[in-house]
Every structure is written in C-alpha cells, then in structure tokens.
Amino acid sequence: MEAFVHVLHAVLAGAWLGGVAFTTLVVSPALKEMKWSVAERMAVRSVIGRHYARVGTANLSLLALFAVLDGIFNRGVMLYTEYVLLLVLFALTAAHGAYFGRRLRELAAAEREARDPAEARERAGRRLALQRVSFGVSMTNLAVSAVVAVLAVAAGL
C-alpha cells in the first residue's frame, strides 16, 4: 500500500507539472502566433483555461491528498516543504484563474472598443503590463511545480 501511494503521488506530481508546462510553454506561445485579434486570442485562452481548470483542479487536489497520504507513511522535512509549496500552487493557480485571466480578457475587449487610437494604446499598455505579470506568475507556478515533482519522487527514497 505504501509503495502504491508513493507511486501515485509521484505520478500526480508529474501530471501536474506536465500540464503546467504544456499550457505555459506550448499553448500560450501557440496562441500568440495566431493571426486573430488580441480579444479573440484572449477569448480562446479563456475557454482553454476554463476547460483545463477542471482537470487541473482535480489533479492538484488529488496530488495534495496523496502527498498527505504519502506523508503518513514517509514522514520527513521534504514532505512538509511540499505541503507548503502545494499551498503556494493552490494560491498561484487560483489567482491566475480568478484575476489574471478575467482581467486580461476585459482589457483586451476594452482595447478593441476604444473610441480613439490614444485610448486603445493606453489600454494595450495596461494589458501588456498585466500580461508580463501574468507570465511571471505562470513561470513561478512552473518552477514551484518542478520542485513539488522532485519532492514527490524523493519522498519515498
């Protein structure tokens, strides 16, 4: 039972890392290459994000559950570190989905609906600044996810 819990813990951590890496390093750059308007790209990214959120939330929740179960069998400082990092991942993921995605979509729509070029440039500037922060959050999520995956594998060693 102990080995099964550990393997599932490690597999869930790998699946989470793979999903984060795929959306950050493949989906987002691919959408930037589309010849759609910014608002259209944001709308598509939002739909992808909503669908991925269902899978990702289930994955992250199961990862947390199996990290705790693995901790019952293999106590150690690494697991406590992983628990803290899992809380960080929940916070980063929630903030990204609840704030950044919604706000970027709103700014892209406002940019499209601007009455004059100066207003459109101002809104585009705000959107680009927020996109840079959002990218930083995504990269932080990716880095923390990689550490969690390493800790998940190392927990049973």
Side-chain angles (χ1 to χ4, degrees):
M1 180 68 165
E2 178 180 334
F4 173 77
V5 167
H6 176 68
V7 167
L8 201 48
H9 174 200
V11 167
L12 287 164
W16 171 257
L17 175 59
V20 171
F22 182 75
T23 58
T24 302
L25 303 174
V26 176
V27 173
S28 292
L31 286 174
K32 285 181 184 175
E33 290 185 26
M34 300 309 234
K35 301 300 179 209
W36 303 329
S37 71
V38 172
E40 289 170 323
R41 282 196 312 268
M42 291 294 163
V44 170
R45 181 71 173 108
S46 179
V47 170
I48 292 169
R50 277 196 313 272
H51 284 275
Y52 181 73
R54 289 182 225 143
V55 174
T57 299
N59 184 189
L60 190 56
S61 298
L62 286 170
L63 172 55
L65 171 67
F66 277 87
V68 170
L69 292 175
D70 205 5
I72 292 170
F73 295 117
N74 301 302
R75 290 180 178 83
V77 173
M78 283 191 296
L79 280 164
Y80 296 119
T81 303
E82 183 181 354
Y83 299 156
V84 170
L85 293 177
L86 283 168
L87 290 173
V88 169
L89 285 178
F90 273 106
L92 289 171
T93 303
H96 205 272
Y99 177 72
F100 290 103
R102 178 186 53 79
R103 188 68 183 126
L104 285 168
R105 198 172 53 253
E106 289 170 356
L107 286 169
E111 181 182 341
R112 184 182 60 210
E113 296 164 2
R115 291 183 300 268
D116 60 67
E119 184 180 7
R121 279 191 304 277
E122 185 271 330
R123 290 177 179 178
R126 289 192 335 210
R127 178 186 48 79
L128 289 169
L130 188 60
Q131 278 181 302
R132 283 190 288 277
V133 175
S134 175
F135 181 73
V137 170
S138 293
M139 294 309 288
T140 301
N141 190 328
L142 185 58
V144 172
S145 296
V147 173
V148 165
V150 169
L151 292 173
V153 170
L157 300 178

